[in-house]
Amino acid sequence: MNKNFFERSERGELQTAEAKPAGAGHLSLEGIHGSVEVPRVDAGFWKQWRAFVGPALLVSVGYMDPGNWGTDLLGGAQFKYGLLWVVGLASLMAIFMQVISARLGVVTGKDLAQCCRDWYPGWTRWPNWLMSEVAIGACDLAEVLGSAVALNLMFHIPLLWAVIITGFDVLLLLALQRFGMRTIEAVVLLLVSTIGVCYFIEIFILPRTQPNFLEMGQALLVPGLRQVGMTYVAIGIIGATVMPHNLYLHSALVQSRKLQKDEASMRRAIRFNTIDAVGALTIAFFVNAAILVLSAMIFFGRENVVVPGTGVVTFGSNADWIRVAYLTLAPLLGMTAASTLFAVALLASGQSSTITGTLAGQVVMEGFMHWRISPWLRRLITRLLAILPAVLVIGLHGNSSVNELLTLSQVVLALQLPFAMFPLLQFTSSGKRMGAWKNGWFLMFAGWGSALLITAMDIYGLPDSFKVAWGVIVGR
């Protein structure tokens, strides 16, 4: 098998991890490509794990961004635990897709965008690139809105001005990058972990906010879309969880490790990237599930909540849930501390996701079009395109449209997903492209099953999606 594997590689039927993509030696994220040393194959487990851990953690930040928070809060507030199974299913499908994406990058030495450019007809480059850019813009719209809400909570800046201020985050991004990616992600993960610990205490320890675990278990294991509007929110949750731009990004980030092309090294890289993806996205699932559960406990069927030391806080049945989400922490921390912690974590998650969004933008632009521009310019263009619809909708219809915009942005992501998933699965299921490392029967079944299910839900929910999109635009 080894002999045939490398003979096919020499004939050009398979590229190994050290091979350069076609097109004047374009490397994926050239500045970090092969920049992290990995130990010998016979090194200890933990030493190898430390070398490979990271790409999935960086990708997982996008699974805990303001878009996720918005859809989870909306789902819990409107349908209690009814969509908890969607959070679990979406997280499971995300794990499958990210594992497959990492495998593509390790084996071929290309990211998904480069594979599409090299292995599909030339005319597909422009539409594929433009659809990817729409997905990145939709994701960045969520970061704009999340960061704006955080600024509004912390400094009481009017929401419209807060949205405009987020356009200057390109300067903050440049400043943060001086400290290094590892430091930034460590700070963000610390903040998200802090909120995770608070939610854990509220769910399992604090009597006032303990959920009905039997009801939760039934909702998690028994799927259904029985109420009006559930399908639309479910598609939003899926779009917020299985993100198309993360499939492009993960296949590029794994190449930051200095991979070897022998069979043992390939197997080792696939194994540890799989462990990395499963671990990071499992954490993201628990955070998202906790947000939905606490939203159900605090908001479902209510129009006010009693906060210790503050009194009764009133909100409407159609409240902008992202703007009152800090109340999920209030039973434990009190109003002031809850508002501050939630705002800082929301701002940090939004800023961290802008970093991954910028990297994903570089990957798709360089991969599909072989265009290279400075990261700060890339960031500025993406952010301006995201700010325009936010300013337009909030300026015309007021602050109450924030959560609708958040959910709509995630629905756009879900609708774009098939255009990233099917090429990924086609390439990784091909013996010609992947050789001995093509997807096995389990990943084949899980991957194609996930892609077909997401596509079916997209098609089923299209009428609702267009209806709600029109409502957001005209302010209904």
Side-chain angles (χ1 to χ4, degrees), residues 219-255:
L220 187 61
L221 299 175
V222 182
L225 298 168
R226 293 172 288 276
Q227 293 176 247
V228 176
M230 266 188 156
T231 302
Y232 176 75
V233 179
I235 292 173
I237 290 174
I238 291 172
T241 306
V242 194
M243 292 184 168
H245 68 282
N246 270 345
L247 301 181
Y248 293 102
L249 180 60
H250 202 172
S251 59
L253 288 175
V254 295
Q255 297 173 54

Side-chain angles (χ1 to χ4, degrees), residues 100 103 428-429 438-449:
I100 293 171
R103 178 181 286 248
T428 54
S429 301
K438 70 176 184 178
N439 293 333
W441 67 267
F442 177 77
L443 278 182
M444 192 91 75
F445 175 81
W448 285 104

